[in-house]
Every structure is written in C-alpha cells, then in structure tokens.
C-alpha cells in the first residue's frame, strides 16, 4: 500500500520530497477514519490522517491484520516489519532509537529505501556504536566498583573485538563452551544483570543500567548473530558473540 499527499504545497513537515510513500501501518481511529504511518526521507516514522493523502496503491498483500496492537481497533501492519520488531499493544515505532532503527534496516533493505547519510553515520556505523558503549561503560564501571569499596577486589566490564574462538589457546582451568543461540537475548541479559546487581534500594538503577547496556550491545548486530560462547579464565568471564565472522567479547573481569 502506498500513499501520496493531496497537496504537496501545504506540507509543513520536512523531509517529504518523494512522490509517494509505502504504508507500514493502516489503522482506524476512535473517530472512525483511517490514519497511515510511513517512513519519511530521513527514515523517521510519520502518521497522517486519510484526508491529507490519497492511496496510490491499494495492494495490502504484505500486511497482516493485528487489531490487538490497536486495543481492538482495526489495524494492519507490514508483516516483515512486525517480524523484525515485535510490538506490544499501544507501542510506538521510533527510529530515533538506535536499536529500533538497526532492527528495521532489513525492512529498508528489502523495500529498497534510499538510506540517508544521517542513518549511515549512526545506525550503520560500528565505530559510532562501539564508542557509545565505551562511554557508557566508563559511567557504569565505577557504579560496579563501589560495591567492593574497602576491599582489594573489584569488577568491571569491557567490550572489545577479539580473536576467533577457534584461535583461543586454552590454558589450565580455562573454559570455552558454546551456548544455545536461540537463548542469546535471555543469556546476555542475565550475564549483564548478574554483574550489575545492587542493594534492594538501588535495584531499579541496576535494571535500568542493565537494559541500556543490552540495547547498546544488541544494536551492533543488524543481521542475525551466528553463535554465542562462554569463555572463562582466571581473571576474565566473557560472553562472546560471533557475528559475520567477527567476535565481540563482553568481559566481566576482576582486578585488585
């Protein structure tokens, strides 16, 4: 399904230079009219009322009906999009989120969207995302370390790209185990949360930090990861992610 604006001269919002736009969501409002959601030229989501546009392509074969997402109101959504980004009732799509924008890249790729420089510079820029993670770890590592205040033992996180798992030379008491890839998200979340635990009074802070770190790390992977591993040495406890023949190590290490 595609739409175009009835009068382009009246458009006040920026980044709407195309003749028509592909609809990702068609939904009925409480007032009984339809509204359409689409991505503009900067791949930001916009919603317009039916009186602003006209439908240029009525084909909805790539959309499925999901009234549950609209609290029972009539709602259709692009089937491939909802596979990439499972939504909850009432949840909005926002590509201003680095994680969401990354998960939707395969949608943009499938439908041949023109990818703007602003998207390439952030969402498709691994160096940018690695720097974000490094900065976040600089902030939360002192949070982790204060739990060991007064002792000679401390724990910290670091994330780096390392050697292939097949090249690891295991020493005495080292371990390397492949984990079930289908449990990737749950295992990574647990790995992070276990290290970021805190007192009951600060439990909510720990959960928020854990959630943010998971999202930042997972945003690195636009396509499906290949394998995951647990790699442990005397000083290191690593969650290893294999992705496109490269290896990402989230290391919870101790020192002191």
């Amino acid at each position: 399904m595609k739409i175009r604006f009835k009068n382009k001269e009246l458009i006040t919002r920026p980044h709407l230079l195309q003749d028509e736009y592909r609809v990702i969501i068609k939904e009925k409002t409480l007032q009984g009219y339809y509204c359409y959601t689409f991505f503009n030229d900067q791949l930001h989501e916009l919603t317009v009322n039916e009186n602003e546009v006209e439908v240029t392509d009525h084909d909805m074969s790539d959309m499925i009906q999901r009234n549950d997402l609209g609290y029972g109101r009539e709602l259709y959504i692009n089937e491939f999009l909802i596979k990439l980004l499972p939504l909850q009732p009432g949840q909005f799509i926002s590509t201003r989120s680095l994680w969401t924008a990354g998960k939707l890249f395969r949608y943009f790729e499938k439908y041949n969207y023109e990818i703007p420089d602003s998207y390439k510079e952030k969402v498709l820029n691994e160096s940018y995302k690695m720097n974000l993670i490094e900065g976040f770890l600089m902030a939360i590592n002192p949070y982790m370390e204060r739990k060991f205040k007064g002792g000679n033992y401390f724990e910290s996180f670091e994330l780096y790209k390392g050697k292939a798992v097949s090249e690891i030379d295991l020493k005495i008491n080292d371990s390397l185990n492949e984990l079930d890839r289908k449990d990737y998200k749950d295992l990574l979340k647990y790995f992070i949360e276990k290290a970021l635990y805190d007192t009951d009074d600060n439990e909510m802070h720990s959960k928020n930090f854990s959630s943010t770190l998971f999202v930042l790390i997972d945003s690195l992977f636009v396509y499906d990861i290949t394998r995951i591993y647990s790699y442990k040495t005397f000083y290191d406890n690593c969650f290893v992610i294999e992705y496109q023949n490269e290896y990402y190590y989230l290391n919870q290490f101790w020192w002191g």
Side-chain angles (χ1 to χ4, degrees):
M1 172 175 268
K2 295 180 181 178
I3 56 173
R4 69 182 173 199
F5 286 88
K6 292 178 179 179
N7 191 339
K8 297 197 72 172
E9 294 180 359
L10 298 180
I11 296 176
T12 58
R13 284 165 288 193
H15 310 302
L16 291 171
L17 300 178
Q18 299 179 40
D19 290 333
E20 60 182 10
Y21 291 90
R22 181 177 297 277
V23 174
I24 59 170
I25 298 175
K26 173 186 176 181
E27 57 184 320
K28 203 167 194 176
T29 67
L30 289 172
Q31 292 74 29
Y33 60 83
Y34 288 102
C35 59
Y36 304 97
T37 300
F38 64 96
F39 293 113
N40 70 3
D41 305 343
Q42 291 296 104
L43 303 185
H44 293 158
E45 68 292 338
L46 288 178
T47 300
V48 293
N49 296 334
E50 63 180 353
N51 62 352
E52 298 179 71
V53 298
E54 58 185 353
V55 178
T56 58
D57 184 349
H58 291 270
D59 182 12
M60 295 177 58
S61 58
D62 61 355
M63 303 179 79
I64 59 172
Q65 190 165 1
R66 288 289 304 274
N67 294 358
D68 59 302
L69 297 178
Y71 296 111
R73 296 194 300 275
E74 185 180 343
L75 186 147
Y76 300 87
I77 187 168
N78 181 276
E79 186 172 15
F80 186 56
L81 182 147
I82 199 69
K83 288 179 179 178
L84 297 174
L85 189 69
L87 298 175
Q88 300 297 322
Q91 184 177 354
F92 295 101
I93 296 172
S94 177
T95 54
R96 289 165 180 78
S97 158
L98 183 67
W99 182 86
T100 300
K103 296 309 172 188
L104 291 181
F105 175 71
R106 289 163 63 184
Y107 168 86
F108 299 135
E109 186 179 52
K110 177 178 179 177
Y111 288 101
N112 298 313
Y113 280 73
E114 183 175 348
I115 306 299
D117 289 341
S118 59
Y119 188 98
K120 295 176 183 177
E121 291 166 0
K122 293 184 177 181
V123 182
L124 300 182
N125 186 340
E126 183 179 274
S127 295
Y128 172 80
K129 291 185 282 189
M130 291 289 281
N131 287 338
L132 284 181
I133 295 170
E134 182 179 359
F136 186 74
L137 292 180
M138 290 175 64
I140 66 168
N141 275 336
Y143 174 85
M144 292 175 62
E145 293 165 11
R146 69 184 177 82
K147 292 180 294 187
F148 305 96
K149 186 176 182 180
N152 296 316
Y153 170 93
F154 301 92
E155 292 181 359
S156 297
F157 268 139
E158 62 179 343
L159 179 79
Y160 57 89
K161 294 172 71 172
K163 64 172 63 178
V165 166
S166 59
E167 298 175 2
I168 293 177
D169 182 20
L170 292 177
K171 300 179 175 58
I172 296 175
N173 296 324
D174 289 358
S175 66
L176 176 63
N177 297 293
E178 184 170 356
L179 307 175
D180 194 335
R181 188 186 65 172
K182 69 178 178 60
D183 296 326
Y184 152 69
K185 289 185 178 180
D186 289 337
L187 291 174
L188 179 55
K189 287 177 181 177
Y190 177 74
F191 182 84
I192 294 171
E193 290 172 357
K194 187 177 179 181
L196 279 174
Y197 75 93
D198 204 339
T199 61
D200 291 341
D201 291 341
N202 287 319
E203 183 181 6
M204 188 54 64
H205 293 301
S206 299
K207 289 182 177 180
N208 290 338
F209 289 150
S210 298
S211 177
T212 300
L213 181 55
F214 168 79
V215 166
L216 287 172
I217 293 173
D218 193 51
S219 71
L220 290 167
F221 314 120
V222 172
Y223 299 101
D224 294 334
I225 63 170
T226 312
R227 296 182 179 87
I228 56 174
Y229 301 87
S230 171
Y231 170 52
K232 297 180 181 180
T233 71
F234 182 70
Y235 289 104
D236 306 302
N237 180 18
C238 298
F239 190 98
V240 187
I241 302 168
E242 179 185 320
Y243 175 71
Q244 296 192 333
N245 298 317
E246 295 191 285
Y247 295 82
Y248 299 77
Y249 290 70
L250 177 61
N251 185 12
Q252 175 201 355
F253 63 96
W254 72 270
W255 52 280

